[in-house]
Amino acid sequence: MFGKKKQPPIRTLIGEGTVITGELRFADGLRIDGEVVGDVVAAGEGYSILVISEKARVTGKVNAGHVIVNGTVIGPIHSSDLLELQPKARIAGDVHYKTLEMHQGATICGKMVPADTVVEEKP
């Protein structure tokens, strides 16, 4: 209704106290409460949601449709739909997004690049 996409179910949880090293691919939805050292990438063509909670930490590239961050990400974020940065979000890396929602208190140390922006390299 009103052009809003139905959110996929969150089928996978990385619990607090868990550390995963290496590339992590997921379908539908993923919630991270622990730590991931490596890239977190939504697999497939379908709509995806990734939640990085307040206590979570991701060191690596993040790529998903709808990304919600309230923890720490060290690395670039690519959101093909909506990027939500909640009050305790700490990002050290460039963010690429179609739509951005940023709450007071969230911080980004990097470039903010909207999806429709064409960045030209200087010779």
Side-chain angles (χ1 to χ4, degrees):
M1 183 178 205
F2 303 114
K4 199 169 189 181
K5 294 178 184 174
K6 183 181 177 196
Q7 287 193 349
I10 293 179
R11 299 184 187 278
T12 307
L13 168 68
I14 297 174
E16 189 176 341
T18 302
V19 179
I20 294 182
T21 303
E23 183 179 73
L24 180 60
R25 291 190 170 270
F26 69 97
D28 294 330
L30 167 66
R31 178 182 172 100
I32 300 173
D33 290 338
E35 182 175 356
V36 176
V37 179
D39 298 343
V40 179
V41 180
E45 297 295 317
Y47 186 68
S48 60
I49 185 167
L50 172 63
V51 178
I52 300 172
S53 75
E54 181 180 336
K55 296 178 181 179
R57 180 180 182 93
V58 175
T59 304
K61 178 177 67 174
V62 171
N63 192 339
H66 183 173
V67 180
I68 302 169
V69 180
N70 200 26
T72 302
V73 177
I74 300 171
I77 298 176
H78 293 264
S79 173
S80 60
D81 190 44
L82 173 62
L83 174 59
E84 290 183 50
L85 301 179
Q86 295 182 341
K88 295 188 178 179
R90 301 291 177 260
I91 313 295
D94 297 345
V95 294
H96 301 259
Y97 56 90
K98 181 177 179 183
T99 306
L100 175 67
E101 180 180 320
M102 187 170 178
H103 294 247
Q104 184 175 353
T107 62
I108 299 172
C109 182
K111 292 186 230 175
M112 298 173 63
V113 184
D116 57 357
T117 302
V118 177
V119 179
E120 293 184 22
E121 295 288 325
K122 293 182 179 180

